[in-house]
Structure formats: C-alpha cells, structure tokens
Amino acid sequence: MERNKIEISREKIREQLLEVLAKNIKLSDKSQLDTNSTSFSTYFINAASYLVSDLLFYNSTIYDETSLVSAKLPSSIHNWATYLAYKPRKAKPAKAKVLVDIAIDRSFVCEIPYLHKFYSNGIIFRSDYKYIVEAGPVSYKVISIDPKTGGQKPIPYDTYSKNSKPHLVFLVDVTQFDIIDEYFAIPDLEHFEFFTKDIEIPSTSYLYDVLVTTEFNNTKYQWTENKLILSYPTDRNFELAFKTNNQFTIVFGNGIYGRQPKGLANIKLYITEGEAGNVLPGAINRIDSISSVYPLDIKAINVEAAKDGVNEETYNDIKRNAIINLTALQRLVSEDDFKNANIITDSQNISKCGVVLKRSDLTTNNIFVYVSLHYNNKIVPTNTIPIVVPKNLSNVPPFYSFQHENYEWICPYSIEIKEKQCYFHNVSLKRTLPIQLIYKRSETPISNIISVKQTYNSDDDTYILTVNSSVKSENTVVDQHITLYSTNKQYNIQPTSVTNSKLLYQFTYKIKRYDLQYITNIHITNINKQTNTEDVIYQAFINYSKKLTEQFMFSDIKEYDSTYNIIYDVPVILKDYWLSLDDKQKNELLNYLDKQLYEISVSYKHKLLNSTIATKFIRTYGQLENLKYSSPDYYVIGIYNNSNDFPDAKANSNSYLAFHSENSDDVNFEQSGRVFLSTGTEWIPLEISRGTLVKTPDNELYATTGSRWVKPKYKVPMKMIVEVYTSHNDSSLVDKVKQTIIDYLNSLDAQESVYQSRIIDRIMDIKEVSYCRIIYPEVDIIYRDTAKNLTRNELLVYTPEQIWTEKDLIKVIVRYVTSE
C-alpha cells in the first residue's frame, strides 16, 4: 500500500468486512447479514474496521517518522540526525565590503556604529565593526574598533574631488543578517519543570545563531546552546528544537538536567538570507542615517559581489549526509569516503576536491586529492602533469619551467627525488620576512625594533621568536606582548623570558606550530607603563614545517627508459600567470598554498594506517582531457552516409550504428543524426534526445545538438555565447547574466557535468529576462564514470578538471522585444 495515502474510510472498511463475511457463509447479498442478532458479531465487525483504519493511518503518518529515510517532519529528521551523531549544516551569512563615500564641506567627527544597517533591495547587511571618522581642515582619520576586544585599527582611505567639494572614501566590512529580539518574563516554575519558549522567524529566512540572556536580581546571565541530557543542574544551557522550517522551540533545564531559568529573558534570533545574500556588485546601495553634529551627504555601494552566503542543509541532504557519516565510521577509506570527506570530518575545506584512487591492493590505498586554488577571488590556472627527468637527477629547483600540452608551467615547490618517490617542499619555509613598522599611536615612539629572529624547535614542535628592542629613555619601563590575528580569533601571548640591560630589551616567545596554522599576521606591541602609550609593529609569519609538506606532497616515480625516469602528478601553475604576479602576490599565494595543504591534511586524521594520501592541483587551464573517457549512451559499430552500406542486421544483432548524409568535419547527420538498432532482422531508428553521447569504433566520442553531431572538445576557462531576450532597457543586464553564469559554474564540484537547462533556469530567474538560449557550447558537457574503465597507464596521468569561465570570455547577445 502506498504510504501517506489513506485508501478508504472507516465506514468503507466496515462494508468490505461485511461483504467478506457474507461470502464466507454463502449469502447472496451482505444485506441478508444480520449482525444485530448477536452482540459479538457487531463488536467484531466494528472493532475490526476501527483496527484496520487505525493501522492505515499509523502506516501512512506516524510510522514514517520512525525511520530517517521516510521521516518528513523537521523535528523527526533532526532528532534522527542527532541520534546518528550528525550535526546538520547551518546557514551562513554573506559578507561584503561596502565603499562609504562622505562629501566634506567642513570639519566633523562621526561614528558608524557596530551593527549599523546597509540595504540591498530589502536585504539587510550590518557593519562588523564600529567606525570613527575624523575630518579636519587638512587631515583625515578613519579607525575601526572591534566590538569584542575593543582593539583599534587604522583604516586605509582615499580622497577625491567632485564639483569642487572633497570626498572621503573608505571600505566598511558588512555581514548579511538581521536580529529579532524577544523579551518575556519567565513564570514561576514547579520543581523539576522544564520551561519552553516557541519562536518563529520569517519563512524566507534561515536561523543561524541564537543568543539567550536572563536577568535576575539586577544581574545578567549568558546561556549556552548545549544538550540538556549532558548538563549539570548548575549549567545555564538550553536546547533548540526544530518544529517546522521557520518555527523552533527553546527548551531550558529543569534543575536536574540544566539550570531552571528565572526572572526576565531576552532571546536574540540572528537570521540570514543565506545564498540570497550573495548580491551582485552595486546591489548594496543604501545606508541608514548616522548621527553627526552636521547633516552629512553619505553614500554607500558594494564594489564587489557579496560572497560566502550559504543556505542551511535541506532535509533530503540531512538524510543523505547522516547516513554517509554513519557508514564511514569517521574513517576515510574508500573513494566515496574522500568525496564526502567534508561530511565525515566536518571540514568544508575539501568539499570541491576531485578524489582519485590511483592504486588499491592488499597493502595500501593510494589516494590523491586534487584541489583548486583561489586567489583574489579568481581561480588560479593550475594542472597536475607528468614530467620526464634524467635518472641521475636528485633535485629540481623551485619555479622550474616545464612544457606540457602547448603551455609552459612552473612547479612552486622544490622536488626532492628519491628511488621510488619524490617529495615537494615549499621554499617559503626558509624565508623570514622583515619587520615593518605599521603605525604608532603615540606621537613620540617609546622603542625601536633592532632585530627579530625566528627558529623552529622540532623537539616540542614550537617556534621561538626572539625580539630585540631599545627604549628611548632609561626611566621608561616597557611591557611587551604579541597578538596573533587569524581568520576567526585573536589572542595575546606573554613572553616566556625578558632580559633588561639598560636601554635594551629582549623578549622571547614560544608558540606551538599548530597554533599558527590560520594566522594571517602578528602584532608585536611595546607598552610604556608610565604613560600607557604603545607602538605596534607588524610581522608576516611563515608557519609550516617541511615535515608536513613531505607527508602530503609526494609523487610516484617510474622508469621511462634506460636514461630517464617519469614523475607522475607534479603540481604546477601556469607560467604566464605566475609571471604576472608581483613579489608580494607571489609570496601571498605561496603562503595560501601552505594553508590549504594544512587545512586539507586535518581531514586525514581519521584515515586508515594503510592509506597513503597526496594532495595535487585540479586542471583548471587548457584542454579538457577527460570528456573523452565519459561512458556513452551507445557504442556504435560505425558511421555511414548511405543506408545501402549498412552491415548485415542478422550478423550484428543488438548492435548500434549511426547514419549521416554527407561527410564533413562536424559529422552532420540526416534527421538529427539518427542511431539505428539491429533487431536481428532489420535496422530500426531510435528516438535520440539532445545531448546523447555515442562512441565510435576508433574511440571517438560524439554528442548530438539535435541537428548535428559534435566532438565535445573544450578549453578552460571556457568561452560561452548566450542570447537573451528582454523588454527592459537595463544597462546592467549583460553583467547580471555573466555573473549568474560564473556563480553557477563556481558552485559545481570538480568534474561535475554542466547542463545547459540549469544555466538557462538561473538566467531566467533574472526578472528582466523573458527568454534565453545558449549558442556555445552547443551541448551539455557530460562527465560520466570517467575514471571507471581506465587502464593502469591512463589512470597514472589522469587529473580531475574544473569547468569555469571569466566575464571577458562570455558573450551576451541581447535581443529587445516589445512588451505587450
């Protein structure tokens, strides 16, 4: 019986039971059956009808919720996920940089408060910091203040003149979210009584964070989201239970499992629009008024697209990922495990990777994880290639140039060649960047940095940073600390030793290597204890060990001939791209490579001991090589331009052939390029849909456009031609279409098929577009089981690919139509 569908009512079930009973006692009609003659018969019929009806209802609704696969209620799905130790992904807000432009006609001081609102067509963004703007007659100053630490930082700014009036411009960091505040009094509770509060958010938004505080006897208390079953009676914890998509229940403790709440409560609901917050450049174009002594002419606009907005996990994804997480047992073993590693190890860093099992036998799994690199919001042109080297060569220097597929590539690593394997080392590990003075808060510096020495102690896996400085006066007492700024936190480290010799100070710090993996910069601060003034100095820091690189960057070596060896899977960057970078950009990119390597390696902590794993680069530039390995819809025995040339149908039973009317480079086919099937007696035409793949005896792959057959050969970044129809004269339409295509391709995983219908759907979501078609590429780009049937030699040189494009490569043809 089909679930969620009640076939018949209780009365109809009763009628059916009576018919069966009448038939069994050989009555011609159920009307002849008198169930009133005995109370037992009446009871039996009624009871059976009720029972069957209840079982139907149970089977169609409640029973579904007893299984994760069939569950439909949000509360059931989340409860099952929790039971299976899987934590569903929450929505993430988009982030953007907004250019604030203030016209200056007099001196002023103004403040952009923390959480100040910016708008994009009703979508709210809020400032991440508090900003103080000072405009004097000849000087300007913009300072950001961190609301959590109170730390201040000068913000770069620029000025220009418009209509003889100076303008001050600077960037403000904003995040897309809004806050819903709920205040209520907590009633008097019985002993051991749980207290619950239902909350609701707009149906189009996602809940990504909850902040709960209570106030009792003029004291405020912060509450933490945690499992009540694991809480002590004194723990101020609460649970968030899901009811529907936009309805939740907050559950407080009962004095046994978590503390009972008292007094007044405040619940702050942080809601976001998720992916809808990833707005285009220029979409954020309004700012709330700011307080100032004089009215200000202030404008705001985002110069780049907002990014990083993510929707919460769908219920279908929760079901799928919870099962994946359970079956993997927190280990990375099979190819599928590595493809789902971001689920299994709770790490989003390798969600876009291509994973290839290069070799698997009784002793080891040799798994390569291919990553794409992004720098300055663009994909870096990379590849992983084989190279041939002399047998007597033991080292290849970094940035050596290699020729492959008509392109020149450089390997950013030095290559150490051993007997059966080679290892890649990042040369940036040997560099120590010079100290640079960024700014002084005091007008008179209290100290000068003489030298900074950085060493690594392998015994306890720490970096030792020794700072020598001098002070200006013998009476100055200096305190010094180091502040580490990372992507999500900052913290201070006090010196492990201090040496004071007259006007010279030496400070030594010990820092664990793994404490530094996400560090972006370091501030060393000298503080004058008498005047409380300070000097802040900046030091770029290299923080990865050679051992870590060796562990996850290696390749196999095979004999090429008597003189040469071949090294497979050498990670390379396009040489022209590398040469286009300045020294600072090259250094940032090298450090980013190290950071990416570490983040991915963290996901390997659950791998089996018999698995060897190497990290390589996805092919993001040049000819797409793997489309030819896709499994076709039909293997044809030949292509013919005359039906009289067809082979004998009887001898080729269940075989396919292709037919076209004339020879040409594009293999034009008559009647949309027909494919015929042999029934054993004759060849009959098949209905072929657009995008169908066929493979010929010479192993060539063809796809049909509906009017002709083409070989799916493309390069990345990919050229695209799109035609759109509109009745609006919108100058930004072309840019919107291009950005939509780029966003869609960026959302794809490595070597994921590109379907034209999905691109068209995205473009049609643009309100100004009434019709759209894709002219080039002519067909869907299909990757289907590309690595499944490769030979050993083909697998050794196989590298996953990433399809992407750039605005300059997209041609948008706009056709204007008259609106009716």
Side-chain angles (χ1 to χ4, degrees), residues 477-540:
V477 180
V478 174
D479 186 14
Q480 190 180 75
H481 66 269
I482 182 170
T483 306
L484 307 181
Y485 291 83
S486 72
T487 54
N488 57 4
K489 63 181 179 180
Q490 71 179 69
Y491 50 94
N492 295 332
I493 296 178
Q494 296 300 323
T496 55
S497 65
V498 178
T499 303
N500 180 6
S501 175
K502 294 184 179 179
L503 299 182
L504 299 179
Y505 278 77
Q506 183 182 83
F507 300 85
T508 303
Y509 305 87
K510 280 190 176 182
I511 310 169
K512 280 287 186 181
R513 175 165 61 96
Y514 285 101
D515 288 339
L516 293 170
Q517 298 301 342
Y518 296 94
I519 300 304
T520 56
N521 59 69
I522 294 178
H523 283 183
I524 302 172
T525 306
N526 282 355
I527 302 175
N528 185 332
K529 287 191 172 181
Q530 282 87 0
T531 62
N532 201 33
T533 55
E534 64 182 43
D535 299 333
V536 181
I537 290 94
Y538 167 78
Q539 159 78 13

Side-chain angles (χ1 to χ4, degrees), residues 650-703:
K650 185 175 181 180
N652 293 277
S653 181
N654 296 322
S655 296
Y656 300 95
L657 59 80
F659 173 78
H660 67 93
S661 59
E662 59 180 347
N663 292 316
S664 71
D665 293 338
D666 292 324
V667 193
N668 290 312
F669 282 77
E670 185 181 58
Q671 299 178 14
S672 301
R674 309 195 77 177
V675 172
F676 287 76
L677 166 67
S678 172
T679 64
T681 58
E682 62 177 336
W683 292 94
I684 60 172
L686 301 178
E687 291 294 330
I688 298 300
S689 60
R690 190 174 189 273
T692 298
L693 299 178
V694 299
K695 187 164 282 189
T696 60
D698 56 358
N699 218 29
E700 289 288 347
L701 192 71
Y702 292 90

Side-chain angles (χ1 to χ4, degrees), residues 738-806:
K738 289 183 177 183
Q739 190 63 48
T740 298
I741 295 172
I742 291 172
D743 291 343
Y744 170 72
L745 294 180
N746 287 344
S747 70
L748 300 179
D749 290 337
Q751 209 149 285
E752 185 174 346
S753 298
V754 178
Y755 296 97
Q756 291 192 5
S757 60
R758 296 179 184 176
I759 298 178
I760 291 173
D761 286 344
R762 297 284 186 98
I763 296 175
M764 291 295 292
D765 285 339
I766 302 173
K767 63 181 181 180
E768 293 87 358
V769 176
S770 56
Y771 176 74
C772 168
R773 72 184 183 102
I774 297 176
I775 300 175
Y776 185 86
E778 303 101 318
V779 293
D780 296 335
I781 301 173
I782 306 296
Y783 288 100
R784 185 188 296 155
D785 299 329
T786 53
K788 186 175 182 180
N789 299 312
L790 297 184
T791 65
R792 172 64 178 156
N793 289 334
E794 287 174 334
L795 192 60
L796 284 173
V797 296
Y798 180 84
T799 298
E801 304 166 340
Q802 182 83 42
I803 296 178
W804 63 288
T805 188
E806 295 176 319

Side-chain angles (χ1 to χ4, degrees), residues 572-585:
V572 291
I573 298 174
L574 188 69
K575 185 175 181 179
D576 287 345
Y577 173 83
W578 178 258
L579 295 178
S580 70
L581 304 177
D582 59 32
D583 289 342
K584 179 183 177 182
Q585 291 171 326

Side-chain angles (χ1 to χ4, degrees), residues 1-115:
M1 180 177 295
E2 183 183 356
R3 284 187 182 163
N4 299 325
K5 183 178 179 183
I6 299 179
E7 301 285 352
I8 48 180
S9 68
R10 192 169 294 164
E11 286 303 317
K12 288 203 172 185
I13 293 172
R14 188 176 187 280
E15 293 295 316
Q16 287 186 4
L17 289 173
L18 290 174
E19 287 180 0
V20 173
L21 184 57
K23 184 178 180 181
N24 286 338
I25 61 176
K26 298 182 179 179
L27 295 176
S28 60
D29 193 338
K30 67 180 180 184
S31 61
Q32 300 177 17
L33 185 65
D34 183 11
T35 57
N36 294 322
S37 60
T38 167
S39 60
F40 175 76
S41 299
T42 303
Y43 170 78
F44 173 76
I45 295 296
N46 290 337
S49 63
Y50 273 74
L51 178 61
V52 173
S53 178
D54 287 346
L55 284 174
L56 282 172
F57 179 77
Y58 178 79
N59 185 57
S60 64
T61 56
I62 301 173
Y63 182 73
D64 281 345
E65 305 309 312
T66 63
S67 165
L68 173 62
V69 176
S70 59
K72 295 177 178 60
L73 296 177
S75 56
S76 299
I77 295 171
H78 279 272
N79 287 339
W80 271 110
T82 301
Y83 177 73
L84 297 177
Y86 177 71
K87 188 175 182 180
R89 182 192 70 226
K90 288 187 175 182
K92 293 183 180 178
K95 293 182 177 292
K97 290 185 179 294
V98 175
L99 186 71
V100 175
D101 185 327
I102 304 177
I104 303 171
D105 54 6
R106 69 189 78 189
S107 298
F108 67 88
V109 176
C110 71
E111 171 187 315
I112 300 177
Y114 170 54
L115 300 181

Side-chain angles (χ1 to χ4, degrees), residues 143-163:
I143 296 175
S144 71
I145 301 176
D146 191 312
K148 297 179 180 178
T149 65
Q152 299 186 11
K153 186 171 69 171
I155 300 298
Y157 62 85
D158 200 358
T159 58
Y160 72 97
S161 181
K162 182 178 181 181
N163 297 329

